[in-house]
Amino acid sequence: MNNINKDVLFGWCAAISVAMIWGVTGVVSKPLSMAIDPMTLVFFRYVTAVFGLLVIFTLTYKNTKINGELGKSLKIEKSDYFKIAMCGIIGQGLFSLFNFLSLGHIGATENGVIQGMNPFVTVFFGMIFMHFRMNKIQWGAFLISALCIFAMSVGPTNEVEGGTPLLGFFYVTCSVLSIACTAHLRASLSDKYGSVVSMLMQYIAVAIFGLIMVLSMGLDLSQITIILADPLLIFLLIFLGTGISGMSYVIQLYSFKKIGVEKSTLALNLMPLVGYIVAVMALGEELSFSKTVIVLAIVVALYIFNACESKSKSKVATKPVIA
């Protein structure tokens, strides 16, 4: 196998790895959200993420081969403080909070499928604010996905004790809207400061905001002992904070360099399928023919949608940023 083929192979492996890491977000979050309250979990997640990204920044900021993309300085212009804070609080904090809340009412399968709609929602915001236009094929892909989501919402869902499915779908929709509405702004900050630096600053903002909310709501920070008493929960929190919200970006950057942004982004269409399979295997959620058809249909629709998008000259941030 020559070097070019190796690079392509490793690039695709990296891209699929990112899809798998981001695809299991709901599965990883489910046990944590059942153990402690969602607002406190948001705080713990982003404190963990801050430490994870600080380690990555320390290891990479002097590397001239990658610091242009990841960031080489923590200095942020004052004019961008508010943008950083809003992207952190809305695009990260509310995204995670609503996501955790939804898992108290619906299964990780349903959660993952709705989260997979992020590219569509991001483009809708692009149509409003960036004058982007979808072509007929993209509209068709969107309508297919919308029908699949409707079918899943009215069909049988994984039962959660004390949960209300419609409320769960409402929460996860708010989660998707939170991250999608900030996608273009987050992309511009990433271009300006580097992906790791811009995300690190957003994580710091949401960690501070989370601490303020936890204290003002009278929530108990000692809930961390619940996580520390369970090795599995410790692993899940570290993976959520440093893996999903940290290392995945470095892996994705590697795939960008080896196979290109367009091909790497197309691999992310596997996220709903990955989430579904892992939810069935790890959480014992329902495996049914109808759900399998819905998930596969959404994966195909996402592929068609993003394949058309990659050919467009308009640059719209359609990749989902889960962390």
Side-chain angles (χ1 to χ4, degrees):
M1 184 181 293
N2 58 43
N3 289 334
I4 294 179
N5 288 337
K6 284 184 178 180
D7 285 346
V8 172
L9 175 62
F10 291 155
W12 275 110
C13 288
I16 293 172
S17 296
V18 174
M20 294 178 68
I21 291 171
W22 287 353
V24 300
T25 300
V27 178
V28 171
S29 301
K30 184 78 172 181
L32 290 167
S33 64
M34 296 293 101
I36 63 177
D37 71 82
M39 190 69 246
T40 306
L41 180 55
V42 169
F43 170 68
F44 289 147
R45 172 182 183 173
Y46 288 103
V47 168
T48 306
V50 167
F51 283 111
L53 282 189
L54 277 174
V55 171
I56 293 174
F57 174 76
T58 301
L59 295 175
T60 60
Y61 80 100
K62 291 183 178 180
N63 189 327
T64 56
K65 293 182 179 180
I66 59 176
N67 64 9
E69 291 87 357
L70 300 184
K72 50 190 173 182
S73 173
L74 295 177
K75 185 177 181 180
I76 303 294
E77 295 178 7
K78 291 183 178 179
S79 60
D80 289 328
Y81 284 179
F82 181 76
K83 296 177 183 178
I84 290 284
M86 287 299 97
C87 284
I89 294 170
I90 298 174
Q92 300 297 331
L94 291 183
F95 158 72
S96 289
L97 178 61
F98 284 124
N99 195 46
F100 296 151
L101 286 169
S102 74
L103 290 169
H105 299 275
I106 57 177
T109 298
E110 292 81 10
N111 175 278
V113 168
I114 304 295
Q115 291 289 359
M117 294 291 287
N118 183 44
F120 296 113
V121 182
T122 300
V123 169
F124 272 116
F125 279 105
M127 293 172 64
I128 297 172
F129 299 108
M130 308 293 288
H131 306 294
F132 175 77
R133 294 292 179 268
M134 290 197 296
N135 59 39
K136 293 180 179 179
I137 296 177
Q138 288 177 311
W139 274 110
F142 166 73
L143 290 175
I144 290 173
S145 294
L147 289 173
C148 289
I149 295 298
F150 176 76
M152 179 165 283
S153 66
V154 299
T157 60
N158 289 286
E159 293 185 3
V160 177
E161 185 177 354
T164 305
L166 286 179
L167 186 58
F169 283 112
F170 171 75
Y171 281 142
V172 74
T173 300
C174 289
S175 176
V176 174
L177 290 173
S178 297
I179 196 169
C181 73
T182 59
H184 299 284
L185 182 55
R186 284 183 288 110
S188 66
L189 291 170
S190 178
D191 290 339
K192 186 173 183 178
Y193 297 108
S195 58
V196 168
V197 171
S198 64
M199 294 303 292
L200 173 59
M201 293 305 169
Q202 291 172 49
Y203 292 169
I204 291 174
V206 72
I208 294 172
F209 176 77
L211 178 61
I212 293 173
M213 291 300 297
V214 167
L215 295 177
S216 64
M217 294 171 67
L219 302 176
D220 188 3
L221 286 174
S222 66
Q223 291 179 85
I224 189 64
T225 58
I226 298 175
I227 294 177
L228 296 178
D230 188 332
L232 176 60
L233 294 180
I234 294 174
F235 169 77
L236 293 178
L237 180 60
I238 293 174
F239 183 74
L240 184 64
T242 62
I244 295 174
S245 302
M247 276 304 299
S248 59
Y249 293 105
V250 179
I251 298 172
Q252 188 182 52
L253 178 62
Y254 175 83
S255 71
F256 284 171
K257 289 181 176 295
K258 296 300 182 182
I259 60 175
V261 175
E262 292 80 8
K263 291 180 180 179
S264 179
T265 302
L266 287 177
L268 298 179
N269 301 324
L270 295 172
M271 287 170 53
L273 180 60
V274 170
Y276 176 47
I277 293 173
V278 177
V280 171
M281 295 177 62
L283 300 179
E285 294 194 356
E286 180 187 10
L287 174 64
S288 67
F289 177 75
S290 60
K291 285 186 179 179
T292 302
V293 171
I294 288 173
V295 171
L296 290 176
I298 288 178
V299 169
V300 172
L302 281 169
Y303 177 85
I304 294 172
F305 184 90
N306 286 322
C308 291
E309 174 64 13
S310 67
K311 298 177 182 179
S312 174
K313 294 182 179 180
S314 300
K315 294 184 178 180
V316 179
T318 59
K319 66 175 183 178
V321 183
I322 305 294

